[in-house]
């Protein structure tokens, strides 16, 4: 038979959240979501996963209205959720402050 080996890498950095999925390195799929585009960050854990402090973090965007990236089997999902939410909120505040400093005529 043919065995598929999935290699999944998640990264959360200054630009946003990236999910890179590859099958034996022959094909890869990369999904990147900027903090400014994130509309929801949710966690999902079973009872056992809560005890082990692992779980899933689901990241949704307004573009699709659905989960864009799902970080599966990650450690400390609540902390990851809080970190992403905090960065998202901070960037939203910065954007609003920038727009607040633009003259009204330029905003039209």
């Amino acid at each position: 038979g043919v065995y598929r080996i999935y290699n999944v890498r998640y990264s959360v950095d200054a630009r946003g959240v990236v999910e890179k999925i590859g099958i034996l390195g022959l094909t890869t799929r990369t999904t990147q979501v900027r903090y400014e585009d994130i509309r929801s960050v949710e966690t999902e854990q079973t009872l056992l996963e809560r005890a082990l402090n692992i779980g899933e973090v689901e990241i949704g965007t307004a573009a699709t209205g659905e989960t864009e990236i799902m970080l599966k089997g990650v450690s400390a999902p609540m902390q990851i959720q809080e970190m992403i939410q905090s960065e998202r909120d901070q960037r939203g505040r910065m954007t609003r402050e920038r727009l607040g400093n633009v003259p009204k005529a330029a905003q039209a």
Side-chain angles (χ1 to χ4, degrees), residues 28-63:
T28 60
R29 185 182 81 204
T30 302
T31 304
Q32 181 171 356
V33 177
R34 298 177 319 139
Y35 291 110
E36 294 83 356
D37 298 329
I38 294 173
R39 294 294 169 258
S40 66
V41 184
E42 300 176 13
T43 59
E44 190 171 306
Q45 294 176 289
T46 65
L47 184 61
L48 178 59
E49 287 172 336
R50 279 196 302 271
L52 298 173
N53 197 24
I54 60 173
E56 297 178 352
V57 179
E58 300 175 6
I59 299 170
T61 65

Side-chain angles (χ1 to χ4, degrees), residues 78-102:
M78 296 295 285
Q79 287 85 344
I80 293 171
Q81 177 190 29
E82 290 169 9
M83 180 180 66
I84 293 170
Q85 190 70 40
S86 174
E87 187 68 29
R88 178 186 159 251
D89 293 346
Q90 181 179 356
R91 287 171 185 250
R93 277 192 305 275
M94 289 170 44
T95 300
R96 286 190 300 276
E97 287 170 6
R98 263 200 322 267
L99 290 176
N101 293 332
V102 175

